[in-house]
Amino acid sequence: MPPEPSVAQTPDPSLDSADYNPVAHLNAIFSHPSALLKVTAASDAIQSHRDDLDVHIEELVEAQAKSNIDSVDRIQSAKIELGDLFRKIEDVRNRATQTERAITNMTADIKRLDATKRNLTLSMTALKRLQMLTTAYEQLWALGKSRDYRECAQLLQAVIQLMAYFRSYRSIDQIATLSRNVADLQRELQEQICEDFEITFAKGEVHQRRTTLAEACLVIDALGDNARSRLVIWYCNTQLREYRQLFRGNEEAGSLDNISRRYAWFKRMLKVYDDEHSPIFPASWRVNEVLANSFCEGTRDDFKGILARSMRRLDGQTIDVDLLLSCLQQTLEFEQYLEQKLSSDSRASLDTLSSKEDKGLNSGRVISEAFEPYLSLWVESQDRNLSGMIIKCRQQPLRAADEDFSAQSVAPSSIEMFQSYRAMLAQCAKLSTRSRLLELSKVFARHLDAYAEQVLLARFSPTAAGRDLPLEDVIVILNTADYCHITCGQLEEKVRGRLDEEFKSKVDLHSQQDAFMGVASAAIRALVRRVDQAGELAWREMRNVPWGKLDAVGDQSPFVGELLGRVKARASEILLLLSKQQYARAFCDNVVELLANTYLANILLCRPISETGAEQMLLDLYVLKKGFQELPTLTSKAGTMPPASYVKRVNQSMQKLDPLLKTLQVQSVPPEGLVQAYLIHIGDRSDSNFKKILELKGVRRQEQPQLIELFQAHRASPNSSSSLVQQSTLLTPLNLAATSSSTSTSNVLASLGTATALSTPSLQARFDPATLGSAIMSVARDGVDRFGSPSMPSSGFAPSGSQPSAASNAYASQSAVGFGVDPSTTIADTASTTANNFQENLRNIGRFFRRDIGAGFSGRFAASRTNSEDASQ
């Protein structure tokens, strides 16, 4: 039997809930039939609870009733108090109104008295001032008649101040009449004083009446700016009348030959002013400056007319440049004299504002402005002198016969050239700091280009004496180009420092710096060609080896040791003469690039190549790479390590041959092995390139179609097609059809589509304008190669023989394409077109070479500026 439930054990839902359900509550209490026995107990408990609730409610109602009564009582009490407060406020307001009314009645009479007093005071003041004005006017009139200017000046200031007070009373007839009388008196005083000045100066009685005139100037000062300006202008015109009559009316006296007489005359005039006239005028007027300015402006206008007439002469003769410069120099000295003299005089002024406004009266070059438009004659003269200097420099040797050579030697002509530039710059800066100085800088730029082309680069041309420049001369050209490159930048800063602000941004010698850097590039490539010449016998020995018949791989081939020995010996000789690290690094970089491409060219000439031969070539390649890494340290102390960037450069240049040799190492039987090796190492989709590998290996032509079909099948497989490129950058330029055992290395390099052929031993160190465009293009490829391209640099030289080589023809055409010329034109046409753009091409070489240097070793080239001789200082 289950236990009987009790009321106490039954859960009691909340009776306060809004969702209370009594039926559910009862079902919960009497959930079992046995619980009905407790109905009576449950009913009693509920009744007891209800009774308790009734009692509690009655207590709450009673307490609330008492609370409401107290609240009503407090509200009633508050209303009564508010009523009392409002009554008191109203009472206070009424009393305040009554008080205000009483005070107003009491003070009304006082206000009327104050207004009367104020009006009376104003009237008395006006009458008193009117009386003072009338009296002062009468006294001023009397003093003016008696010419007592000292008292007149003081009284005039008082009259002017009183008239300013009565300005608002002009509607009164008497005041208006008095104002007109005062204005008439001021005009009479001004006319009278001007008349006194004219009579005194006309009679020459300045010294006797100097005190009177000085007191008259005080009156003029009180009359205002207009009166002062009129008197000063009259004085200047009077003093300069003789000058104008003397130098404008007489053609001989007014000519440029007598310019010194003009300045001497005015210096005497200033002395007269200082000795006799300066005590007359107040110092604040600065009459001497106005007089000087009037003289300068008049003289400037005279010179403009004289110079214009000289340029329009019918006999065709122009003004003498020496005379023009002499006149301008005297003018500048005179202007400097005026500036020093006027600034040394006492310029204290009570009128600070006026002094501040007139401060720029004599600043600048007033007279010399007339000469500036004609300074072009001087600039043209300097242009002719510099042209003659270029001709002289071309005829001079790079080094004096009695001068000892050093690694820092510079052509004396370059130092003389920049010394001349310095002198011309200093002279022109004294004459003009505007457009003519800018024009002179353009003349400098033009002759710097001419020096780079006609003096330095011309040493490599066919017209130069001899076929091969001595090594010392090439080093001098390199040092001179570097010196000129640095000094051009210093010259540009010097010119900008002398020019006016508006012209500074128009000075630019960067293109000339690039031209000299192009000359440095040509010198570096000339040095590289010497190294290439030294290794020709070793390359010939390599071509004589039967690479297709080798049956075993031994140590390095005999030609490798000979090649490294010759290259290192010649490179050491050259590196000892390179005084700057950036050029030594550029030289080593170019040597490695050239030798790597020459090695590739000789591989093509050595076919057929067996698997053993390819393995031997790969071994030789590693030995050469190790040897080339030592080039920068040949002249350093033992144990010196080459720069990491250079080692990386060597690895990049030499390792591009690895895929070719590794592919040639694989036997053609079974054919699948060769095809797989090609796809792994070469990794392109070209049938022609795969055929080149077969030809290099010496595979017979009847066997090649089967191998090519197998290659095409493997190439089309899904595993290979996704990773293959369309054309290999290494094999695509190769033209095996144009090469044979009798073909020279230069022709093979030309067939590769690179400009490296211009640096091969078969070429002489002579410059051909027809190949300059190709040099630019190859230098551009060389710069791009620093970022991963397999292209090779150019030396910038052409053969010296009577007929251009195949490389010259190929790259003259390529340069023509690069500069918008029809490739079908002849070599002569290409040379003519390139010559017209010679300076631009040379600048392009310099830009590429400078970028190549900066990319090669962290831009150390910029630091070379601090090591150069500053010839422009």
Side-chain angles (χ1 to χ4, degrees), residues 18-38:
D19 298 332
Y20 176 72
N21 187 351
V23 176
H25 194 187
L26 289 175
N27 289 333
I29 294 175
F30 303 105
S31 60
H32 194 271
S34 61
L36 295 176
L37 299 177
K38 304 295 183 180

Side-chain angles (χ1 to χ4, degrees), residues 673-746:
L674 179 59
V675 172
Q676 289 295 337
Y678 181 89
L679 294 176
I680 293 174
H681 297 299
I682 304 300
D684 74 353
R685 307 170 60 86
S686 173
D687 292 343
S688 60
N689 287 344
F690 181 72
K691 186 176 181 181
K692 292 175 184 178
I693 294 293
L694 299 181
E695 293 180 3
L696 287 175
K697 289 181 65 64
V699 178
R700 290 180 299 179
R701 292 188 179 275
Q702 56 269 27
E703 298 177 0
Q704 291 183 7
Q706 179 182 358
L707 290 170
I708 293 175
E709 291 178 2
L710 183 61
F711 166 71
Q712 293 173 348
H714 281 270
R715 179 186 64 191
S717 65
N719 296 333
S720 301
S721 59
S722 60
S723 60
L724 299 180
V725 298
Q726 196 65 31
Q727 296 283 344
S728 169
T729 56
L730 176 64
L731 294 182
T732 301
L734 302 182
N735 185 7
L736 299 185
T739 61
S740 64
S741 59
S742 61
T743 306
S744 66
T745 308
S746 61

Side-chain angles (χ1 to χ4, degrees), residues 248 262 294-307 309 366-367 370:
R248 289 183 181 175
R262 292 175 178 263
S294 298
F295 170 81
C296 292
E297 291 179 351
T299 305
R300 178 193 60 198
D301 296 339
D302 291 348
F303 287 164
K304 285 183 177 180
I306 294 172
L307 292 170
R309 289 192 296 272
V366 180
I367 305 178

Side-chain angles (χ1 to χ4, degrees), residues 98-118:
Q98 293 175 1
T99 303
E100 182 182 4
R101 190 179 301 112
I103 293 174
T104 301
N105 294 332
M106 293 172 59
T107 59
D109 295 337
I110 299 176
K111 289 182 179 179
R112 286 194 295 271
L113 291 176
D114 288 341
T116 302
K117 179 180 179 182
R118 183 169 57 256

